Amino acid sequence: MTYTRRLMTRALRVYWILLLLVGEIGLFQYRIGSCKWPTTNTSSTQPTTVAIVADPQIVDHYSYDQTGLVLRVTEFFTDIYVRKAYRFLQTLRRPQHIVMLGDLMDGGREWNDKQWEQEYRRYQSIFNLRDPRNTRVHSMAGNHDIGIGNTVVRGALARFHARVGPTNVLLEDLGGHDLVLLDTLTLENDDPEVSHASRQLIQQLNTTLPPERPRLLFSHVPLRRAAQTYCGPERQSAKKYLPDRQGYQFRDQLLQNTTDVLLNGIRPRAVFSGDDHDSCTVEHRINATAAQGASVATEYTVGAFGWASGVPVASYALLTLYPASRGVSEPEFRVQRCFLPYQLGIYKVYAASFFATLIIVATVCYTGSHAWHPAAAYGAGGYGQLIHDSADMSLPLPLPANMPQGRWSFSKRTCLLQMAYILRDLFAVGLPTYIACLLFYYIF
């Protein structure tokens, strides 16, 4: 039985090492590595690559009203997931541009300057840019960062401008396209001082940029659409349409007049939005003008990048931009949604493996703690004495009908000690493996 216990312990050690390596590193590498940049067969030129990350929304006190140790544990496990995904996104896909679609922090608009600086340092440590010479990051503001419409927090907006960057950005001629990162949150503010920069960017598009160059619009909040418009098969929510709700500092969709201004004024080929945390793909009709006919713009709402955002599987998007080339009269773009590992599923596998390990160890130790005690020699006049006193040892003697056959005994203490030793050995291997997996994301 000692050999059986040793063999079982070695097998469980190997199992837990492989399980942790797969769950903490392998799955992330596989899921991100298997989602390639979308390509086109019509263009021979090298594309510009853009990764789109929506709603990182790092968890803080405002997320679940937690404090103390519970909050620290929640922050740790949500932070490490995003850190893993962002690291492999950079190393495996190597995007030239990364667009953060807003809601960088959950309670950003609520913090005072000191608290905000602490949270922003935490955000920067998670979203560490590994190759700043070849990758540019463009961070948009979300309603969790600055508010929305007439409830925009001016102090939070000014702080975002000073520490993160402008909330309105125009990226001209990227792969033959103009990328319009528009702050639609302040655009819906009635105060011209607040909405000035957003309105100015729209005016610039119509006065200084060539209208024939395709435009791609980026907005934190999705554009308005008809009620219960189907979002497509990639949506994870039971409701396959974007809701239309509003409340404290949030709105599921932009106002109708804002949507009309964006579609008919900018005339984008496509729209990229976030905020909803789930995937959605819809088409918007753009009205005809004297110079241009009617057209359709596809809006891609990108799911949240974190695993604690209300949808089972986190996601992001990859965008490739192809300029006009020989045989291709106008620029092209391609979009690919990508899904990250199901973190709750990983934890469920860990939990199931832990209980299965307990059952296996308990079964082996329970069996090994039983001992067989054969029948002992009996005293004078007994069967043993009868054999000893026999004059002729060659004569077979009948066995007594009531002769004891021996018995089994079980030691509870031995069983528990064996279980403790085996679990200690497994813990001594599993914990360093888990720590090494985590250090991989902090060191390399």
Side-chain angles (χ1 to χ4, degrees):
M1 186 55 65
T2 301
Y3 172 77
T4 302
R5 287 198 301 269
R6 289 177 179 173
L7 184 63
M8 176 202 65
T9 304
R10 291 171 184 170
L12 287 175
R13 284 175 180 171
V14 173
Y15 172 79
W16 275 101
I17 291 173
L18 293 177
L19 178 65
L20 291 170
L21 288 175
V22 170
E24 300 302 314
I25 297 177
L27 279 177
F28 287 83
Q29 187 171 17
Y30 170 75
R31 292 303 296 267
I32 295 175
S34 61
C35 192
K36 309 291 186 181
W37 291 107
T39 59
T40 177
N41 296 324
T42 58
S43 179
S44 59
T45 59
Q46 190 70 18
T48 299
T49 56
V50 182
I52 305 174
V53 175
D55 302 276
Q57 207 163 321
I58 61 171
V59 172
D60 54 36
H61 167 69
Y62 287 93
S63 303
Y64 306 110
D65 196 24
Q66 297 171 335
T67 58
L69 180 61
V70 175
L71 175 61
R72 295 293 173 260
V73 171
T74 303
E75 288 179 346
F76 173 79
F77 285 105
T78 53
D79 287 0
I80 192 63
Y81 179 91
V82 177
R83 185 185 293 271
K84 295 173 190 177
Y86 197 65
R87 182 212 184 265
F88 281 119
L89 175 59
Q90 293 183 78
T91 57
L92 297 180
R93 295 280 69 88
R94 300 187 181 278
Q96 295 168 282
H97 297 265
I98 299 176
V99 175
M100 312 294 286
L101 274 173
D103 279 356
L104 310 185
M105 294 176 281
D106 203 8
R109 63 174 180 256
E110 311 290 349
W111 298 114
N112 60 39
D113 288 345
K114 181 179 179 181
Q115 293 170 323
W116 188 91
E117 284 293 343
Q118 292 175 346
E119 291 299 304
Y120 187 55
R121 284 195 296 269
R122 176 178 152 222
Y123 173 87
Q124 288 179 309
S125 70
I126 297 170
F127 291 93
N128 178 41
L129 187 58
R130 301 177 64 87
D131 188 7
R133 290 186 297 179
N134 296 311
T135 302
R136 293 180 59 193
V137 177
H138 314 278
S139 297
M140 301 179 64
N143 56 299
H144 282 264
D145 300 311
I146 64 172
I148 184 171
N150 289 329
T151 59
V152 165
V153 181
R154 298 196 181 203
L157 177 60
R159 183 172 58 201
F160 195 97
H161 287 159
R163 296 291 289 113
V164 182
T167 54
N168 289 285
V169 176
L170 175 61
L171 304 176
E172 297 186 48
D173 201 13
L174 254 62
H177 298 74
D178 291 331
L179 274 59
V180 184
L181 281 57
L182 184 64
D183 181 3
T184 52
L185 306 171
T186 58
L187 181 64
E188 292 193 335
N189 191 289
D190 294 334
D191 188 341
E193 184 178 346
V194 176
S195 61
H196 172 72
S198 301
R199 298 182 183 278
Q200 187 179 44
L201 177 56
I202 296 175
Q203 184 179 7
Q204 179 185 354
L205 294 173
N206 296 323
T207 56
T208 63
L209 296 181
E212 66 274 5
R213 195 157 59 206
R215 298 168 180 175
L216 305 180
L217 174 63
F218 292 75
S219 166
H220 174 68
V221 178
L223 276 59
R224 184 162 292 275
R225 72 286 313 274
Q228 299 188 9
T229 300
Y230 180 58
C231 276
E234 292 179 317
R235 188 169 182 82
Q236 301 175 60
S237 173
K239 294 182 178 180
K240 298 301 180 181
Y241 57 87
L242 195 70
D244 184 15
R245 305 163 300 175
Q246 61 180 6
Y248 174 70
Q249 291 287 22
F250 86 92
R251 187 181 300 132
D252 289 325
Q253 302 177 32
L254 295 176
L255 301 175
Q256 185 62 59
N257 62 334
T258 305
T259 299
D260 294 339
V261 167
L262 298 180
L263 291 175
N264 299 313
I266 298 177
R267 305 187 70 82
R269 293 284 182 89
V271 181
F272 298 90
S273 58
D275 188 63
D276 182 59
H277 296 185
D278 204 347
S279 301
C280 185
T281 305
V282 298
E283 291 186 341
H284 299 282
R285 179 177 175 81
I286 301 176
N287 297 330
T289 65
Q292 296 175 287
S295 59
V296 172
T298 302
E299 179 176 358
Y300 303 90
T301 300
V302 182
F305 200 62
W307 69 275
S309 299
V311 292
V313 182
S315 61
Y316 60 99
L318 299 178
L319 171 66
T320 49
L321 306 171
Y322 289 89
S325 61
R326 180 181 301 177
V328 180
S329 59
E330 61 180 25
E332 297 178 290
F333 71 90
R334 294 290 183 271
V335 181
Q336 176 65 54
R337 294 187 191 276
C338 302
F339 292 89
L340 297 170
Y342 176 36
Q343 185 61 61
L344 281 179
I346 295 174
Y347 289 151
K348 289 177 182 178
V349 171
Y350 288 168
S353 297
F354 174 75
F355 287 114
T357 299
L358 286 181
I359 293 173
I360 293 171
V361 172
T363 301
V364 172
C365 292
Y366 177 79
T367 305
S369 300
H370 284 75
W372 170 255
H373 301 280
Y378 297 98
Y383 183 65
Q385 187 67 38
L386 176 64
I387 295 176
H388 183 269
D389 294 341
S390 174
D392 188 356
M393 299 297 295
S394 63
L395 296 176
L397 298 175
L399 294 174
N402 61 347
M403 176 184 176
Q405 300 298 309
R407 63 185 178 84
W408 288 97
S409 66
F410 170 70
S411 173
K412 182 178 180 181
R413 181 175 181 275
T414 300
C415 180
L416 293 177
L417 284 175
Q418 289 177 357
M419 288 184 62
Y421 290 147
I422 294 173
L423 293 176
R424 180 198 63 186
D425 291 344
L426 295 178
F427 187 78
V429 171
L431 181 60
T433 302
Y434 182 70
I435 293 175
C437 290
L438 298 184
L439 290 176
F440 171 79
Y441 296 102
Y442 287 91
I443 297 176
F444 300 103

